[in-house]
Amino acid sequence: MPKTFPTPKLVIFDCDGVLVDSEPASNQALADNLSRHGLPLTVEQSMAHFVGGTMTGVMQTARSLGANLPDNWIEEIYDETYALLRQGVPLVQGIPDLLARLDTQGIPVCVASNGSEEKMRTTLGQNGLWERFHPQAMFSAHSLGVAKPEPGLFLAAASHFGVQARDCLVIEDSGSGVTAAVRAGMRCLGYAPQGGGKKLAALGAEVFTNMSEVPALLSI
């Protein structure tokens, strides 16, 4: 018999790849940049190596793989990534309906991301969600100084809303995000629309492939 859970008192969304379909564009910029710096990668290889990481961690990994990166590389890649994101980033399919359903049920929502607020302004701002989340329901690793896979970002969100960790539900698409949720003691749904769910499941997520599945998983 499947395990049943109480309705969450807070739903915490990751941003990139969960609310907005920004990972392809971000990793296109990353692959193009690293190829210029001596580390030829496809977009798929970039996603496999770097999705869910901090840019400092990406820089360290890329150097270990052979990239010759300048000291100002993080500023450089942000400029190139934001330029590409400004060309247009769609919402993940099903997100508007899911947010409306959560609103109907009176369940608070927020976003917690390893990305910067500037990046979220660029992506969420195109889709009407920046105003929804900023500033009272937006938690950025850049602002708080703690990043996934550490649990502090999610715990800060729970504390802000006055909700216990066990009463939170996290929706993530990366291994680092799932690990952060598990470390925080929060139930985690792992979004894997194109495969990769085994990795998320192994880390402790309940895997799903379409946002339309979430209400049933939450019993709402």
Side-chain angles (χ1 to χ4, degrees), residues 59-158:
M59 185 176 185
Q60 292 170 346
T61 300
R63 281 178 164 168
S64 74
L65 293 171
N68 183 20
L69 303 182
D71 290 340
N72 69 338
W73 179 78
I74 291 179
E75 180 181 346
E76 174 186 297
I77 190 59
Y78 275 142
D79 287 344
E80 294 175 15
T81 300
Y82 295 164
L84 201 55
L85 292 174
R86 281 192 288 269
Q87 295 179 22
V89 179
L91 288 175
V92 166
Q93 186 176 6
I95 279 295
D97 290 343
L98 176 56
L99 291 174
R101 183 71 169 268
L102 292 167
D103 285 346
T104 299
Q105 297 295 318
I107 299 172
V109 300
C110 67
V111 55
S113 173
N114 274 355
S116 66
E117 284 199 10
E118 182 182 356
K119 185 178 183 183
M120 287 189 276
R121 183 196 294 270
T122 300
T123 58
L124 299 178
Q126 299 174 24
N127 298 288
L129 292 186
W130 172 258
E131 294 80 5
R132 177 185 181 121
F133 289 109
H134 185 267
Q136 70 278 4
M138 179 173 288
F139 303 89
S140 164
H142 287 229
S143 302
L144 292 175
V146 60
K148 310 165 196 178
E150 297 307 317
L153 199 60
F154 291 147
L155 293 173

Side-chain angles (χ1 to χ4, degrees), residues 13-30:
F13 288 88
D14 178 43
C15 184
D16 297 299
V18 172
L19 288 174
V20 286
D21 191 16
S22 53
E23 295 291 11
S26 295
N27 282 277
Q28 182 67 63
L30 193 53

Side-chain angles (χ1 to χ4, degrees), residues 34-41 49-50 58-69:
L34 292 176
S35 294
R36 294 199 315 270
H37 287 297
L39 180 61
L41 291 176
H49 281 300
F50 304 124
V58 170
M59 185 176 185
Q60 292 170 346
T61 300
R63 281 178 164 168
S64 74
L65 293 171
N68 183 20
L69 303 182

